[in-house]
Amino acid sequence: MKRKYGQDEVDVLIVGAGAAGGVLAKELSEAGMSVVVLDAGPMRDPQEDFVSDELAMKKLAWQDTRLVAGLNPLTMGENNSGRGVGGGTVHFTGVFLRFHDSDFRTRTIDGVGEDWPLTYDELAPYYDRIEKEIAISGPHHFPWGNFHGPYPFPEREPLSPNAELFQKGCEKLSIPTVVTPLAILSAPFQGRPPCINRGFCNQGCMPNAKFSTLIVHIPLAIKAGAEVLPNCTVTQIMMNKEGRTTGVEFIYKGKSYQQKARLVILSAFVIETPRLLLHSANAQFPDGLANHSGWVGKAIMPHSSHDVYGKFDMEVRLYKGTPVLATTQEYYKTDLARGFTRGYTLHAHGARPMEFASGITHSQSGFLWGENLRQALLDYNHYGRITLVGEVLPAEQNRVTLAEEKDEHGVPRAKVSFQYGENDKRLIAHAVTMMKEIIQAAGGWPHFVVPDTAHLMGGCRMGDDPATSVVNSFGQTHDIPNLFICDASTFVTSGGGNPTETVMALALRSADHIKEKAKKGDLGM
């Protein structure tokens, strides 16, 4: 390997170059620190490596084998994790929503979950910064939560037929909607063009109208001196006798290497971060690194993400335009009259033919195949779709553990166990009912309800008490002062909206904290 820092102890080593890792790499390298970023996937060129093809672009997701268990086993892949520099930001839909104040105080307000060790007000300046930095497009007024706009760039237009039908149905039911806040340009910005509604957001944006850390933060980090190493799989966190990390071991093209660092940050997401901590167990930490609390891997949370497809007389053409262009959070806050606590977001959500076909074959009405499937696919252009992003409450039994089976590097595979709680099920039932009513109000007929999940959070939750949490509010592990975790695994609760903006805001906050420590000569914490 041609290395810049191969023989050096760098200031900061970051594992994972996704939403959080990209932000950290840029911020810390621009502050003058020596930074190495290791990512298990490739470094891609959008113009050379992305194609407008659903099947070919499945490689953007993490496809390594993961074992699943529990009463509601999760589907692993493109719906919850990316593989490659940029991580999930390369293939996400671009939805960019803030959490609400109540998301950080669910125990205090609703008596469920746990409170975060920070408040919305503490995170708000970082929400502001990241929205300006990547030029979020959004409505002039956002009626829910704490932030009501305006966004840095105007809302996207024109809307897709699916979004227009969603707005029409909601309007008839007196449900307010907005054009979705998106990390997709509505006007030129820093050499990047505005979106032209190609609609292949989930297959990687070839024109670069959609944000990803691959095209925004990583190039700036490299310009500032960071060394970004793709196709490097970290297999072990190295420790010394004093109980501090000294760096990591990683595999590149079948050969093992080491990278020493004064500070290590794990940004490897909800499955791989706990897996690496558990696999790196030693005599000092027999249950896994940073796991004296026993909470590493526990309380993982997806979002419930059921889809309802409705058929219309008119052509909808779900492939047209940016996938998500209209949203409501009218059911985000707890209303006990609905029969459950917490809430959810609804999106008008496009679908390409393969996604549509694979979804409806597993609808709640039964396995669809043969002539019935063929007929449904022939009518593809007449279907609209609404998607749920529902809060799932944290539960200790939903967790990541190590399986007996090992991968090609000798590391035990991750075993992911999950089941819905009763509150989660009641929330889903209410949301499905509302989605059906919206479709009917828009003039359609609900045909398919497709159970699904999206995103992943938790597994290394933050907190003030080292006995019940893994990291503090800055992502610093309670047990190992120079080991940080900064990704969605530190979430205490899942919220009822897409998590990417909160992941990036937390990364900015952690970066500021680390920079302040570095100024005082305390990078080793």
Side-chain angles (χ1 to χ4, degrees):
M1 300 179 70
K2 293 182 179 180
R3 293 294 314 278
K4 180 177 181 178
Y5 294 122
Q7 303 303 315
D8 300 335
E9 179 187 53
V10 294
D11 293 325
V12 180
L13 171 66
I14 302 169
V15 181
V23 169
L24 290 161
K26 170 190 174 294
E27 292 293 318
L28 300 181
S29 59
E30 289 183 342
M33 300 180 202
S34 55
V35 175
V36 169
V37 184
L38 299 172
D39 196 278
M43 175 87 80
R44 297 183 176 96
D45 180 332
Q47 281 71 52
E48 297 292 331
D49 299 320
F50 296 164
V51 294
S52 301
D53 184 305
E54 285 185 86
L55 185 60
M57 289 296 95
K58 283 186 175 293
K59 65 185 179 183
L60 298 180
W62 191 286
Q63 301 290 355
D64 287 12
T65 299
R66 289 160 169 169
L67 307 181
V68 294
L71 295 180
N72 305 106
L74 298 174
T75 299
M76 297 285 105
E78 64 265 21
N79 61 331
N80 51 38
S81 54
R83 186 182 183 92
V85 175
T89 64
V90 172
H91 74 267
F92 81 143
T93 57
V95 174
F96 223 67
L97 296 171
R98 299 187 183 204
F99 274 13
H100 299 193
D101 173 68
S102 65
D103 290 317
F104 300 93
R105 301 186 296 130
T106 63
R107 171 61 63 180
T108 297
I109 295 174
D110 294 315
V112 296
E114 297 294 339
D115 290 350
W116 293 50
L118 76 164
T119 64
Y120 173 88
D121 288 340
E122 289 176 89
L123 202 57
Y126 299 98
Y127 281 139
D128 292 341
R129 279 174 57 185
I130 202 67
E131 287 169 1
K132 292 175 182 176
E133 185 174 290
I134 61 177
I136 298 302
S137 63
H140 181 74
H141 178 71
F142 191 86
W144 308 282
N146 303 72
F147 175 73
H148 301 300
Y151 287 87
F153 272 32
E155 64 189 32
R156 289 284 316 286
E157 59 176 355
L159 300 187
S160 64
N162 188 55
E164 290 177 344
L165 285 170
F166 176 78
Q167 290 187 327
K168 175 183 176 182
C170 286
E171 184 177 2
K172 287 192 174 183
L173 296 173
S174 299
I175 300 171
T177 64
V178 296
V179 177
T180 312
L182 295 168
I184 302 175
L185 297 179
S186 58
F189 181 67
Q190 294 182 346
R192 294 166 49 213
C195 178
I196 55 173
N197 272 315
R198 293 177 64 254
F200 282 95
C201 302
N202 302 126
Q203 288 74 42
C205 180
M206 292 173 67
N208 288 341
K210 189 188 78 170
F211 152 82
S212 72
T213 53
L214 170 66
I215 65 167
V216 176
H217 291 84
I218 292 299
L220 293 172
I222 294 172
K223 182 179 180 181
E227 183 177 28
V228 179
L229 300 178
N231 300 310
C232 293
T233 301
V234 176
T235 56
Q236 191 83 17
I237 301 170
M238 301 186 300
M239 299 290 294
N240 63 20
K241 294 180 181 179
E242 287 71 44
R244 290 174 175 265
T245 179
T246 59
V248 303
E249 295 180 0
F250 66 95
I251 302 291
Y252 175 72
K253 291 187 176 181
K255 186 177 180 180
S256 182
Y257 298 85
Q258 293 185 353
Q259 177 63 59
K260 296 180 180 179
R262 297 172 63 195
L263 184 73
V264 173
I265 308 175
L266 302 184
S267 297
F269 199 53
V270 172
I271 307 298
E272 297 305 312
T273 290
R275 180 190 181 201
L276 187 56
L277 291 169
L278 294 171
H279 176 62
S280 299
N282 57 28
Q284 292 170 297
F285 299 92
D287 298 320
L289 300 188
N291 196 28
H292 281 158
S293 67
W295 277 92
V296 168
K298 293 183 178 179
I300 64 166
M301 302 160 287
H303 280 129
S304 50
S305 189
H306 286 48
D307 301 309
V308 177
Y309 288 95
K311 190 176 180 182
F312 292 83
D313 287 332
M314 64 175 285
E315 286 192 344
V316 181
R317 297 185 179 269
L318 278 171
Y319 61 84
K320 281 195 170 184
T322 299
V324 178
L325 283 168
T327 293
T328 184
Q329 289 193 330
E330 190 65 11
Y331 304 102
Y332 198 98
K333 295 174 63 175
T334 295
D335 181 349
L336 294 179
R338 300 181 191 132
F340 57 90
T341 55
R342 309 303 299 149
Y344 58 85
T345 299
L346 296 180
H347 297 304
H349 203 308
R352 298 205 158 269
M354 283 185 58
E355 181 184 9
F356 174 74
S358 62
I360 66 173
T361 56
H362 300 92
S363 71
Q364 284 186 343
S365 57
F367 187 69
L368 190 68
W369 64 290
E371 181 57 31
N372 290 335
L373 175 59
R374 177 178 179 274
Q375 188 56 53
L377 296 181
L378 288 173
D379 293 333
Y380 162 73
N381 283 337
H382 288 268
Y383 279 95
R385 176 192 183 193
I386 304 175
T387 294
L388 161 69
V389 179
E391 180 162 355
V392 170
L393 297 180
E396 187 173 351
Q397 74 270 15
N398 294 331
R399 60 189 301 190
V400 176
T401 55
L402 298 181
E404 293 184 7
E405 181 181 327
K406 296 183 178 180
D407 67 11
E408 66 272 25
H409 303 306
V411 178
R413 297 193 186 279
K415 179 181 178 182
V416 185
S417 302
F418 177 74
Q419 68 179 66
Y420 285 119
E422 291 304 314
N423 189 79
D424 306 328
K425 295 175 184 177
R426 291 193 294 270
L427 182 152
I428 291 169
H430 184 275
V432 168
T433 297
M434 294 311 305
M435 289 189 281
K436 289 180 176 179
E437 290 184 4
I438 292 168
I439 288 171
Q440 289 172 329
W445 300 270
H447 273 204
F448 303 110
V449 177
V450 180
D452 201 0
T453 59
H455 317 131
L456 274 175
M457 297 137 287
C460 292
R461 71 182 188 184
M462 63 172 66
D464 291 325
D465 185 355
T468 58
S469 59
V470 180
V471 301
N472 63 20
S473 70
F474 296 105
Q476 182 181 23
T477 61
H478 294 303
D479 299 344
I480 304 169
N482 67 333
L483 176 63
F484 278 63
I485 301 171
C486 190
D487 56 28
S489 70
T490 67
F491 280 34
V492 181
T493 53
S494 67
N498 303 58
T500 304
E501 182 172 6
T502 299
V503 171
M504 296 180 70
L506 288 170
L508 270 180
R509 184 172 181 269
S510 293
D512 276 2
H513 174 75
I514 293 169
K515 286 187 283 187
E516 285 300 313
K517 289 288 185 178
K519 288 178 182 177
K520 300 175 183 177
D522 193 20
L523 190 58
M525 306 293 162

